[in-house]
Amino acid sequence: EEQLVESGGGLVQAGGSLRLSCAASGFTWFDYAFGWFRQAPGKEREAVLCVSTRSGITYYADSVKGRFTVSSDNSKNTVYLQMNNLKPEDTAVYYCAAQDNYSVYSLNDCSYLEVWGQGTQVTVSS
């Protein structure tokens, strides 16, 4: 069974950094797509970034470009979201999502991924 588990959330001051982890299990990692999302209170879920391993392209939301980056440790089956220069508006529950053998061509395409984690809270104080 495919499963994703996020961790690493917490409280940080504006301008600070956090690294979120998404531990995966049960995937074949064949031509997979992967995404990080967030949902703030009272707002719709938004895609933060979306990775296409087929094309090697990572799509970033304009609001996080230059501040957030994605990386992975294949030996640990874990994907990371490094968040720098955090702002109060980054406060949200952050989710990861993934799917094997799936093509994405835009940030929004990751919204259709089938496997999602439970989320981890990030709070940025001003």
Side-chain angles (χ1 to χ4, degrees):
E1 180 183 0
E2 297 160 331
Q3 188 176 14
L4 298 171
V5 179
E6 302 96 334
S7 62
L11 174 64
V12 63
Q13 288 188 333
S17 299
L18 273 178
R19 189 179 76 163
L20 305 183
S21 299
C22 177
S25 59
F27 291 85
T28 66
W29 299 120
F30 174 74
D31 280 351
Y32 67 94
F34 182 91
W36 279 102
F37 297 79
R38 66 187 181 185
Q39 187 166 20
K43 295 187 177 181
E44 292 188 354
R45 184 185 68 197
E46 64 171 341
V48 173
L49 60 87
C50 181
V51 179
S52 170
T53 58
R54 282 181 176 171
S55 66
I57 297 174
T58 300
Y59 304 93
Y60 286 92
D62 288 343
S63 58
V64 305
K65 280 181 182 177
R67 300 189 298 123
F68 290 13
T69 56
V70 64
S71 63
S72 64
D73 185 335
N74 293 336
S75 67
K76 296 181 179 179
N77 285 334
T78 300
V79 181
Y80 303 99
L81 178 66
Q82 179 66 44
M83 306 185 294
N84 298 325
N85 190 23
L86 283 161
K87 305 176 181 180
E89 52 263 42
D90 294 319
T91 295
V93 177
Y94 283 71
Y95 302 87
C96 58
Q99 186 171 335
D100 286 324
N101 195 25
Y102 190 79
S103 297
V104 292
Y105 303 97
S106 71
L107 183 65
N108 187 61
D109 283 349
C110 272
S111 297
Y112 302 100
L113 297 175
E114 292 186 343
V115 184
W116 291 75
Q118 84 290 348
T120 185
Q121 175 70 48
V122 172
T123 303
V124 184
S125 63
S126 58

